Amino acid sequence: MARTQLQRARDGELTAAIERVAERENRDPAFVRQQVADGQAVIPNNHDHESLDPMIIGREFATKVNANIGNSEETSDLEGELEKLHTAVHYGADTVMDLSTGANLDDIREANVEHSPVPVGTVPIYEAVKHVDDPADLTQELLLEVIEKQATQGVDYMTIHAGVLMEHLPLTDGRKTGIVSRGGSILAQWIEENGMQNPLYVAFEAICEIFAEHDVTVSLGDGLRPGSLADASDEAQFAELETLGELTRTAWDHGVQVMVEGPGHVPMDQVAENVQRQQAVCDGAPFYVLGPLVTDIAPGYDHITSAIGATEAARAGAAMLCYVTPKEHLGLPEQGDVRDGLAAYRIAAHAGDVATDLPGARDWDDALSEARYEFDWRRQFDLALDPARARSYHDQTLPGDNYKEARFCSMCGVEFCSMRIDQDAREADGEMTEIDDETDLDDSPAAEANLPPVGSHDTSGVPEEIEIDGVTFTPAASHTDD
C-alpha cells in the first residue's frame, strides 16, 4: 500500500510533493519535510489526483486561501461548476471545497478533481444525507461507504465532524444561533433521535484507515462553531475543540495528515486567543478558519467583515483561511462573488504574512508602491492583485494610452496630485533625498503566494477538454475583466 506524505516524511524521505512545495515556498526541502513529519503542516495530495500541483498548509509557510464552490438543490449545472472552479483557481484559490448538495454529485466531484490543479476538499456527510429519507436514518456503514468512494475518486481532504459528541449538545442551550454548521446540525439531530454517540466519532479509526490508504488529509470540522458574536468562545465550542485535539493525535497515530477547522463568528479581541488555544490543544496542527466574521451587522458585505477577522487570524498563526463571499448568509455564490471573496481573502492572507514578517512578503507591496510613485501605470496594473479590475477602474475616466504616461489620475487631477508635487519638489531642491525604488521581485525570497501574479498554479496536468452528455467543451472562465 502506498504511504502517506506524513509517513514518508517521518521516514526522512524527500518526496516529489515536498520538493515542489519547497520550490513554491522558497524554503529548504529538509525544513518542509520536518514540518510535515511533525504534523505542523500538511500537503493534501490524494494518490489519485493526477492534475494536482502540490501545495502546503502550515503556519510557517505562506497563508493559504480556500474557496468554497458547489451546487445546491436549486442549481445543478456541471459546466457552471467547472466555470466556478476555473474562476477560483484564476483568482488565486490555493484549495477548493466542493460543497455540492444538489444533483449529479459524483459527476461534479470527479470533474472537479480531474480539472483542478489545487487540492479538492469535500464534506462527505452532505452526500450521505442524500441517500436517506431522514438524517436520523444515517448509518455508520453508509458514512464509511461514502467516505471511501470519495477517497477513491481522488478527493484530497475531507471535513469530518467527529468532534460533536452527545455530551456537548446540552452546552449549546442558551445560544443565540444554536448549531450553525450543516454537518454539526445533522449529527446533532442524529444523536438526539437515536440516543447514540456520533457515528463519525465511533468510526474515526476506520475513517483513518481509509484516509491512510489514499493519503486523504482529515480536516477536523468544528460542528459546534459559533454562528454569532454572542456565541463565540463558549463552552460548547471549546469542549468540541478538546475532542478535536484527541482526534488529531489519533489520526497521527494512523499516519494521517491533519488540519483543524476553526470558528466562524468571533469578536476581534478574541480572534488571536482562539488561534492560540487551538494550537495548544491540537499540538500545533494547522488551523483552517472560516473568516472569522468580527461583526454580524453586514449581510451582503460579509467578505469584508470576515476578511478583517481573517487578517488577524493569519497574523496570529492560522495556516489557511476559508473565504467568505458577499453572498454569505444570503444565497449561493456565483462567479462574481467568488472573485470578490477571493480578492478579499488574498488581501487578508498577504496582510497577515506581511505582519508576521514572512521572508520577502512585503517585497510585492514595495514594488507596487514604487511603480505608483513613478506613475508607471502599466507596471502598477501588472503588479495588482487583480490587474484587470485595477486597469478597468483607471480607464473608466482616463482610457487613452496617453494617460498611461500621465503623472496624475482622475482622483486628484493634475494640480493636486501629491506624488507629482513631491517629485517636482525633489527635482527642484537638492536637499531632499532620493526615493528608494530598488525592489527586485526576481530576487525576492517570498513564496509564490506572496508574489504576482495570483493564480499561477501549474496546470500542465489539467485536461483541456471535458465531455458532458456526449458534448465536448473547454472550460474557460467567464468572469468579466471589469
Side-chain angles (χ1 to χ4, degrees):
M1 183 177 76
R3 295 177 301 155
T4 67
Q5 291 291 329
L6 175 57
Q7 292 166 332
R8 296 166 72 182
R10 284 172 173 170
D11 289 343
E13 182 180 349
L14 294 178
T15 66
I18 287 174
E19 295 279 10
R20 172 58 177 151
V21 162
E23 177 187 6
R24 296 181 68 177
E25 298 286 331
N26 206 1
R27 305 297 281 272
D28 185 342
F31 176 75
V32 176
R33 184 202 63 78
Q34 193 62 57
Q35 285 286 298
V36 174
D38 292 342
Q40 308 301 286
V42 297
I43 302 176
N45 191 174
N46 188 309
H47 302 315
D48 294 317
H49 189 167
E50 297 179 359
S51 60
L52 182 69
D53 184 14
M55 52 79 72
I56 195 165
I57 302 166
R59 66 185 177 280
E60 296 295 329
F61 303 95
T63 305
K64 303 306 188 299
V65 175
N66 170 70
N68 289 339
I69 58 176
N71 71 358
S72 71
E73 293 182 357
E74 282 70 37
T75 63
S76 182
D77 181 278
L78 193 152
E79 184 173 353
E81 290 307 313
L82 283 174
E83 299 294 1
K84 284 185 194 176
L85 169 65
H86 184 101
T87 300
V89 173
H90 179 81
Y91 287 110
D94 296 294
T95 77
V96 296
M97 289 201 78
D98 178 3
L99 304 186
S100 295
T101 57
N104 303 318
L105 296 184
D106 283 327
D107 290 343
I108 289 173
R109 187 181 311 113
E110 289 172 357
N112 279 335
V113 170
E114 183 180 4
H115 289 267
S116 178
V118 303
V120 175
T122 62
V123 185
I125 197 170
Y126 294 172
E127 180 184 353
V129 168
K130 301 279 290 182
H131 292 289
V132 294
D133 294 328
D134 187 286
D137 296 332
L138 285 170
T139 65
Q140 180 176 305
E141 291 73 25
L142 173 60
L143 289 165
L144 290 173
E145 178 183 323
V146 170
I147 289 169
E148 184 163 22
K149 180 187 69 173
Q150 293 192 7
T152 302
Q153 290 172 322
V155 171
D156 300 289
Y157 67 97
M158 297 187 204
T159 294
I160 303 296
H161 297 92
V164 180
L165 301 187
M166 179 184 296
E167 52 267 37
H168 297 160
L169 301 187
L171 301 178
T172 65
D173 294 344
R175 279 185 162 188
K176 283 193 180 295
T177 49
I179 300 175
V180 299
S181 159
R182 285 191 290 193
S185 63
I186 290 167
L187 288 163
Q189 179 184 351
W190 189 95
I191 291 169
E192 287 288 331
E193 295 193 20
N194 288 278
M196 299 169 63
Q197 189 57 279
N198 181 346
L200 292 175
Y201 178 79
V202 174
F204 191 70
E205 292 201 64
I207 294 169
C208 287
E209 290 174 5
I210 295 171
F211 285 180
E213 179 181 353
H214 299 273
D215 200 359
V216 175
T217 297
V218 61
S219 187
L220 293 172
D222 53 337
L224 300 182
R225 67 176 179 266
S228 57
L229 298 190
D231 297 339
S233 306
D234 68 356
E235 284 187 276
Q237 177 191 335
F238 288 151
E240 182 187 24
L241 179 60
E242 291 293 332
T243 304
L244 299 185
E246 168 200 327
L247 296 172
T248 294
R249 292 179 281 276
T250 299
W252 282 342
D253 288 344
H254 286 77
V256 173
Q257 300 186 90
V258 184
M259 56 184 173
V260 179
E261 298 184 14
H265 294 245
V266 180
M268 187 74 167
D269 61 301
Q270 297 177 26
V271 173
E273 172 194 338
N274 269 259
V275 176
Q276 292 158 5
R277 186 166 187 151
Q278 181 276 341
Q279 292 288 275
V281 172
C282 299
D283 298 337
F287 202 21
Y288 166 30
V289 297
L290 176 65
L293 286 72
V294 295
T295 181
D296 299 334
I297 65 167
Y301 297 93
D302 279 335
H303 60 312
I304 298 173
T305 66
S306 62
I308 294 169
T311 305
E312 176 67 359
R315 187 191 68 81
M320 185 161 74
L321 312 174
C322 183
Y323 88 160
V324 173
T325 77
K327 286 278 187 67
E328 187 76 10
H329 303 114
L330 302 172
L332 188 71
E334 298 178 352
Q335 288 178 31
D337 305 307
V338 171
R339 178 182 185 175
D340 290 345
L342 275 167
Y345 273 73
R346 285 255 59 100
I347 293 167
H350 180 73
D353 289 344
V354 170
T356 56
D357 201 24
L358 201 70
R362 209 193 71 190
D363 290 348
W364 185 0
D365 303 76
D366 291 348
L368 195 146
S369 295
E370 291 159 12
R372 178 177 289 145
Y373 184 80
E374 292 297 327
F375 297 104
D376 188 341
W377 293 104
R378 292 182 177 85
R379 178 158 174 75
Q380 186 180 161
F381 300 152
D382 290 341
L383 290 174
L385 180 80
D386 187 339
R389 181 158 293 181
R391 185 179 297 106
S392 172
Y393 282 0
H394 173 271
D395 291 356
Q396 283 175 9
T397 50
L398 300 173
D401 284 345
N402 56 310
Y403 290 116
K404 303 299 188 297
E405 314 296 334
R407 298 174 69 207
F408 66 92
C409 71
S410 63
M411 184 172 183
C412 296
V414 180
E415 185 176 355
F416 289 98
C417 178
S418 59
M419 289 189 180
R420 181 198 60 76
I421 294 170
D422 183 75
Q423 286 181 4
D424 290 347
R426 290 177 188 280
E427 291 176 3
D429 186 347
E431 295 183 3
M432 296 181 72
T433 59
E434 294 183 358
I435 296 296
D436 178 8
D437 60 353
E438 299 179 353
T439 303
D440 184 355
L441 293 183
D442 291 336
D443 290 334
S444 173
E448 283 185 14
N450 281 313
L451 292 171
V454 300
S456 56
H457 312 283
D458 181 358
T459 59
S460 60
V462 178
E464 294 184 359
E465 297 181 333
I466 187 170
E467 183 176 309
I468 301 176
D469 296 332
V471 178
T472 299
F473 78 100
T474 302
S478 57
H479 53 265
T480 56
D481 289 341
D482 60 351

